[in-house]
C-alpha cells in the first residue's frame, strides 16, 4: 500500500505508515520529493519541523547523487547528512564523515576525512565546500593535493580548485622528485603544466637551496623541465 502525504509543497510516499501524534513513521520504499530533490530511504520520521531519514539513504538532484547513513531536512532547502556521505556527479566524487547539500546551488559542504577526486587529481582535507555544477571548491585544514598528470604532491593550509584548469593554494610545501618548494601562495595552471610560487618561495634539494621574489616551475611528461627564480635571487650549495 502506498501512502501519500502533502507537506507544504512536498510529497512523501511509503509502503506503510504509523501516525502517533504529532509524528508520522514511514517504512519501506520511502520516497520524499521536495522541489528539485528526491530522497529515498528505508525509513523516515516526519515531525512538525523536519524529516529524518535513514537506511540506504539516497539524495538525488539531477545527476548529482549523495549517499549517506542518516539525513535530516528542516524545509530550508538544506539537507544534512551524517554517519558517512558520498557525493557523485559525472567525473567528480566526494566522500566525508558528514556534510550538507545546498539545494539552490548544487554545493556540498563536508567535513571529517574529506576527500574530493576526479580522474586527474585528488584533494584531502579537514573540511571544505565543493560546487558540483561549476566544479569549484575550497578545502582547508592540513590539505593534501595530488595531480596524477604532473605527479605533483602539495601540502597546504588551504586549497581552492577551479575545475581542471587552476589551483590556488596558501601555506604550501610542494614535493616533486628531489625538490621541495616552500611558498606562501602558489598558482598551479594544470592545463599548462605550470606552477608559479609567490611570497619569497624557497627551493631545497639535498645539496642546494634557491630563493627569489617568485618562481616558476614548468613540467612536461611528469618531469620538471624548467625552474626559474626571479627578483632578489639567492642560492646556496652545501658540500657533502
Amino acid at each position: 500500500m502506498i501512502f501519500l502525504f502533502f507537506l507544504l509543497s512536498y510529497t512523501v510516499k511509503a509502503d506503510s505508515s504509523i501516525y502517533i501524534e504529532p509524528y508520522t513513521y514511514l517504512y519501506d520504499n520511502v520516497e520524499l520529493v521536495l522541489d528539485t530533490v528526491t530522497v529515498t530511504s528505508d525509513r523516515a520520521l516526519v515531525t512538525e519541523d523536519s524529516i529524518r531519514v535513514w537506511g540506504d539513504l539516497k539524495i538525488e538532484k539531477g545527476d548529482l547523487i549523495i549517499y549517506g547513513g542518516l539525513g535530516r531536512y528542516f524545509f530550508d532547502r538544506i539537507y544534512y547528512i551524517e554517519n558517512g556521505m558520498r557525493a557523485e556527479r559525472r567525473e567528480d566524487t566526494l566522500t566525508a564523515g558528514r556534510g550538507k547539500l545546498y539545494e539552490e546551488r548544487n554545493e556540498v559542504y563536508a567535513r571529517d576525512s574529506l576527500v574530493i577526486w576526479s580522474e586527474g587529481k585528488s584533494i584531502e582535507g579537514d573540511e571544505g565546500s565543493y560546487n558540483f555544477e561549476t566544479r569549484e571548491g575550497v578545502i582547508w585544514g592540513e590539505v593534501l593535493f595530488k595531480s596524477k598528470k604532473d605527479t605533483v604532491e602539495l601540502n597546504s593550509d588551504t586549497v581552492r580548485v577551479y575545475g581542471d584548469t587552476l589551483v590556488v593554494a596558501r601555506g604550501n610545501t610542494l614535493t616533486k622528485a628531489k625538490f621541495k618548494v616552500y611558498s606562501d601562495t602558489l598558482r598551479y595552471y594544470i592545463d599548462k603544466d605550470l606552477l608559479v610560487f609567490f611570497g619569497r618561495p624557497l627551493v631545497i634539494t639535498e645539496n642546494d637551496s634557491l630563493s627569489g621574489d617568485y618562481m616558476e616551475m614548468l613540467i612536461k611528461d611528469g618531469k620538471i623541465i624548467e625552474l626559474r627564480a626571479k627578483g632578489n635571487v639567492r642560492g646556496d650549495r652545501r658540500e657533502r
Side-chain angles (χ1 to χ4, degrees):
M1 185 175 182
I2 302 296
F3 290 83
L4 182 64
F5 299 87
F6 291 92
L7 304 170
L8 300 178
S9 60
Y10 314 137
T11 61
V12 176
K13 295 188 293 184
D15 288 349
S16 61
S17 171
I18 298 175
Y19 176 70
I20 303 175
E21 189 176 3
Y23 305 126
T24 300
Y25 299 86
L26 303 167
Y27 301 95
D28 303 321
N29 297 314
V30 178
E31 181 182 88
L32 170 67
V33 181
L34 311 100
D35 295 328
T36 62
V37 174
T38 300
V39 179
T40 56
S41 65
D42 291 337
R43 290 174 290 171
L45 171 63
V46 182
T47 70
E48 294 178 345
D49 66 346
S50 70
I51 299 177
R52 299 183 185 184
V53 289
W54 62 95
D56 290 328
L57 171 61
K58 184 179 181 181
I59 301 172
E60 298 177 80
K61 184 179 187 297
D63 56 359
L64 172 60
I65 302 175
I66 301 175
Y67 304 91
L70 299 172
R72 194 167 186 181
Y73 179 65
F74 292 91
F75 307 110
D76 55 0
R77 309 193 80 173
I78 301 173
Y79 296 79
Y80 299 81
I81 304 102
E82 295 185 358
N83 288 14
M85 66 176 293
R86 179 186 179 94
E88 301 174 348
R89 184 179 188 265
R90 299 178 186 173
E91 59 270 82
D92 296 320
T93 302
L94 178 153
T95 60
R98 53 181 167 152
K100 306 173 189 175
L101 166 64
Y102 294 89
E103 177 187 353
E104 293 181 323
R105 54 182 188 265
N106 280 348
E107 184 174 289
V108 171
Y109 163 79
R111 62 181 302 172
D112 302 335
S113 302
L114 170 62
V115 183
I116 302 172
W117 75 90
S118 58
E119 183 178 353
K121 63 181 182 297
S122 67
I123 313 171
E124 303 175 22
D126 293 338
E127 59 183 308
S129 61
Y130 190 75
N131 188 306
F132 280 84
E133 186 171 355
T134 63
R135 303 189 68 216
E136 297 179 1
V138 57
I139 301 91
W140 59 92
E142 297 186 8
V143 184
L144 174 61
F145 172 90
K146 292 183 180 180
S147 168
K148 182 177 180 181
K149 174 186 175 183
D150 293 323
T151 61
V152 165
E153 185 172 306
L154 174 66
N155 294 91
S156 304
D157 295 332
T158 305
V159 166
R160 185 176 292 274
V161 60
Y162 300 86
D164 292 327
T165 58
L166 175 64
V167 168
V168 179
R170 297 181 181 277
N172 310 296
T173 302
L174 180 137
T175 303
K176 176 68 177 171
K178 64 180 181 179
F179 296 92
K180 277 190 179 294
V181 186
Y182 302 90
S183 65
D184 292 337
T185 61
L186 70 78
R187 288 178 175 263
Y188 174 27
Y189 299 91
I190 302 174
D191 53 341
K192 299 178 181 179
D193 305 315
L194 173 66
L195 294 110
V196 184
F197 305 87
F198 301 94
R200 294 294 300 170
L202 173 66
V203 179
I204 294 178
T205 67
E206 186 176 357
N207 298 316
D208 302 297
S209 65
L210 180 68
S211 65
D213 288 341
Y214 72 97
M215 292 183 183
E216 295 180 351
M217 177 184 289
L218 187 62
I219 300 172
K220 185 176 181 180
D221 298 326
K223 298 181 180 179
I224 300 173
I225 62 171
E226 189 172 303
L227 177 62
R228 294 180 292 182
K230 297 185 177 182
N232 297 312
V233 177
R234 294 185 180 181
D236 292 295
R237 165 155 289 191
R238 298 180 297 277
E239 298 296 335
R240 297 185 62 185

